[in-house]
């Protein structure tokens, strides 16, 4: 039966159907305006772009009834204080990297990435299917927030170095902009880690106040111009194999949100998550080509350096686990999932990727 015939038979025209449905929709779609504060400046169109995607989709899916008013880092609170602002209800929600709050409790690192953690695929699989979300949200509960997936950068680069780093000894005394957990691992190997906001890295590297700096990958790094002041570009960023960005929401605000809006918000987060990874996959290849054409020298960290970093990481995992049961619980879950995941990935995914990378198409 054609739609118009059906409407004729039942006696409900298009206008009648809309009238009948309206009360139910109105009840479940109140007008709500939330403030979202992000950790990013608007100039980072990959990370900030994910925030915009999320806000746009929430508005469109609710006929503009539910709106996220978005603020860049520094507009309401500094980029590294998003958690605090959401926790105390200054804003309803945020978009951030959980590992920025590593200083409060190292367990926060799992919401983004930990050294020698999984790649993007396995990290989000752990979060979505491996119990990661439940474990993290149980932990976040004591900070009065909850989380959902809302972005990923993919595996990051190891950063920019003014001089070549060949041996583990070359790391000793090196002043490097590298934060949180990775900074502590590097410290074990003699590096002097420095915490610097994005905008302060270039002048420090130029003046030689620091010898090295890590940021994200070719596209974001090129924007900040590090290639002009440090010629050696190392990979991989073993501390960020597949870092997740999360939407975090004040728990009371989340609980008071209509179920439909909760679903819309989560779906918009999923959408930002896919959008961001696709954006990086589109933008990084041409940026890397451009950097190499401009004289950047690409190096992989040597196997002894990688092994020394892994060893130092395991020591810190053991030390932290001994005193922090939350940390241990989440680490055991993630490590189990990652280890199983790579047993499978080394068969089909790695076999295929390795062949394809050596045999470019087109
Ligand atoms: Ca980084």
């Amino acid at each position: 039966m054609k739609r118009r015939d059906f409407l004729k038979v039942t006696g409900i025209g298009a206008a009648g159907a809309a009238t009948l449905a309206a009360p139910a929709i109105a009840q479940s779609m109140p007008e709500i305006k939330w403030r979202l504060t992000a950790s990013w400046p608007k100039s980072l169109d990959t990370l900030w772009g994910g925030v915009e995607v999320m806000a746009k989709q929430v508005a469109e899916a609710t006929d503009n009834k539910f709106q996220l008013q978005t603020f860049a880092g520094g507009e309401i609170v500094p980029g590294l204080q998003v958690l605090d602002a959401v926790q105390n209800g200054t804003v309803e929600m945020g978009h951030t990297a959980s590992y920025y709050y590593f200083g409060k409790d190292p367990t926060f690192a799992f919401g983004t990435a930990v050294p020698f953690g999984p790649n993007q695929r396995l990290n989000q699989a752990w979060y979505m299917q491996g119990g990661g979300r439940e474990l993290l949200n149980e932990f976040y509960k004591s900070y009065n927030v909850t989380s959902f997936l809302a972005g990923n950068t993919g595996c990051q680069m190891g950063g920019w170095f003014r001089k070549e780093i060949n041996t583990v000894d070359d790391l000793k005394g090196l002043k490097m902009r590298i934060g949180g957990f990775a900074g502590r691992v590097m410290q074990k190997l003699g590096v002097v880690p420095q915490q610097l906001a994005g905008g302060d890295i270039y002048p420090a590297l130029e003046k030689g106040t620091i010898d090295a700096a890590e940021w994200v990958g070719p596209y974001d790094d090129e924007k900040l111009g590090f290639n002009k002041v440090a010629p050696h570009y190392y990979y991989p960023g073993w501390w960020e194999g597949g870092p997740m960005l999360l939407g975090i929401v004040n728990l009371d605000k989340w609980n008071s949100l209509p179920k439909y809006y909760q679903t819309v918000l989560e779906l918009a987060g999923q959408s930002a998550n896919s959008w961001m990874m696709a954006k990086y996959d589109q933008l990084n290849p041409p940026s890397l080509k451009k950097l190499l054409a401009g004289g950047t020298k690409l190096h992989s960290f040597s196997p002894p350096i990688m092994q020394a970093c892994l060893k130092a990481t395991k020591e810190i995992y053991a030390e932290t686990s001994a005193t922090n049961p939350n940390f241990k619980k989440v680490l055991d879950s993630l490590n189990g999932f990652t280890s199983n995941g790579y047993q499978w990935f080394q068969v089909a995914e790695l076999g295929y990727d390795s062949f394809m990378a050596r045999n470019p198409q087109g």
Side-chain angles (χ1 to χ4, degrees):
M1 188 190 284
K2 284 181 183 161
R3 182 172 150 78
R4 62 172 180 275
D5 297 336
F6 171 77
L7 292 175
K8 220 181 285 168
V9 172
T10 55
I12 303 170
T19 312
L20 283 177
I25 291 172
Q27 269 172 17
S28 62
M29 290 181 60
E31 289 201 7
I32 293 181
K33 200 173 263 185
W34 273 13
R35 299 202 302 172
L36 180 162
T37 189
S39 290
W40 335 111
K42 290 183 181 170
S43 56
L44 290 176
D45 56 350
T46 41
L47 297 163
W48 176 255
V51 174
E52 285 185 318
V53 164
M54 200 158 66
K56 186 169 179 279
Q57 296 196 348
V58 166
E60 283 178 3
T62 61
D63 197 20
N64 290 321
K65 293 283 195 309
F66 182 19
Q67 292 195 27
L68 305 178
Q69 214 183 340
T70 56
F71 296 89
E75 288 188 325
I76 298 179
V77 290
L80 303 185
Q81 286 171 28
V82 170
L83 172 75
D84 308 78
V86 177
Q87 183 182 357
N88 64 31
T90 304
V91 293
E92 287 83 2
M93 69 171 293
H95 188 267
T96 191
S98 176
Y99 66 9
Y100 287 152
Y101 316 103
F102 172 83
K104 295 176 192 289
D105 186 321
T107 312
F108 274 108
F110 296 106
T112 312
V114 290
F116 297 98
N119 65 10
Q120 179 257 346
R121 277 271 301 275
L122 290 172
N123 210 6
Q124 73 171 20
W126 171 71
Y127 185 91
M128 291 167 71
Q129 309 287 357
R133 180 181 187 172
E134 291 74 15
L135 280 172
L136 287 175
N137 281 346
E138 189 187 308
F139 167 73
Y140 290 143
K141 215 175 182 175
S142 53
Y143 292 83
N144 198 36
V145 300
T146 191
S147 77
F148 59 87
L149 212 52
N152 203 300
T153 68
C155 187
Q156 297 198 359
M157 289 294 285
W160 299 86
F161 292 71
R162 285 161 60 95
K163 289 185 189 146
E164 274 190 59
I165 301 295
N166 297 310
T167 67
V168 179
D169 268 359
D170 291 341
L171 293 171
K172 292 210 168 74
L174 196 84
K175 291 200 278 300
M176 180 172 185
R177 184 270 175 193
I178 181 166
F181 213 142
R184 276 186 57 195
V185 174
M186 286 292 205
Q187 210 167 8
K188 269 198 181 252
L189 300 168
V191 170
V192 186
Q194 316 275 320
Q195 293 267 20
L196 289 176
D200 300 330
I201 304 173
Y202 181 90
L205 202 54
E206 187 184 30
K207 278 185 216 132
T209 317
I210 57 172
D211 308 300
E214 72 85 37
W215 183 237
V216 182
Y219 179 74
D220 293 332
D221 292 5
E222 190 200 3
K223 274 199 159 183
L224 296 186
F226 302 141
N227 53 307
K228 293 178 205 145
V229 285
H232 303 285
Y233 199 19
Y234 277 83
Y235 66 90
W238 45 261
W239 50 94
E240 285 174 291
M244 304 182 286
L245 289 325
L246 299 178
I248 57 165
V249 183
N250 179 285
L251 203 52
D252 306 323
K253 296 290 175 184
W254 175 258
N255 288 334
S256 69
L257 203 61
K259 179 75 186 114
Y260 177 62
Y261 285 1
Q262 288 181 348
T263 303
V264 165
L265 199 50
E266 280 195 45
L267 289 175
Q270 280 289 348
S271 182
N273 185 50
S274 316
W275 179 92
M276 195 185 293
M277 193 63 259
K279 199 72 189 157
Y280 274 112
D281 286 342
Q282 176 207 13
L283 295 172
N284 277 329
S287 290
L288 181 61
K289 274 188 195 156
K290 217 167 118 194
L291 288 168
L292 293 177
T296 290
K297 293 179 181 69
L298 199 59
H299 310 271
S300 61
F301 286 126
S302 66
I305 288 180
M306 289 295 283
Q307 287 299 335
C309 293
L310 177 60
K311 184 170 171 282
T313 298
K314 286 184 172 171
E315 285 166 14
I316 294 186
Y317 282 159
E319 288 160 20
T320 314
S321 294
T323 57
N324 186 330
N326 269 332
F327 180 90
K328 186 181 183 324
K329 189 162 65 173
V330 186
L331 178 69
D332 289 348
S333 164
L334 181 68
N335 276 351
F337 195 89
T338 305
S339 175
N340 273 334
Y342 274 113
Q343 280 173 33
W344 156 234
F345 266 42
Q346 71 173 335
V347 180
E349 296 282 352
L350 192 62
Y352 187 66
D353 283 352
S354 164
F355 180 87
M356 289 302 283
R358 285 179 283 113
N359 295 276
Q361 313 294 301

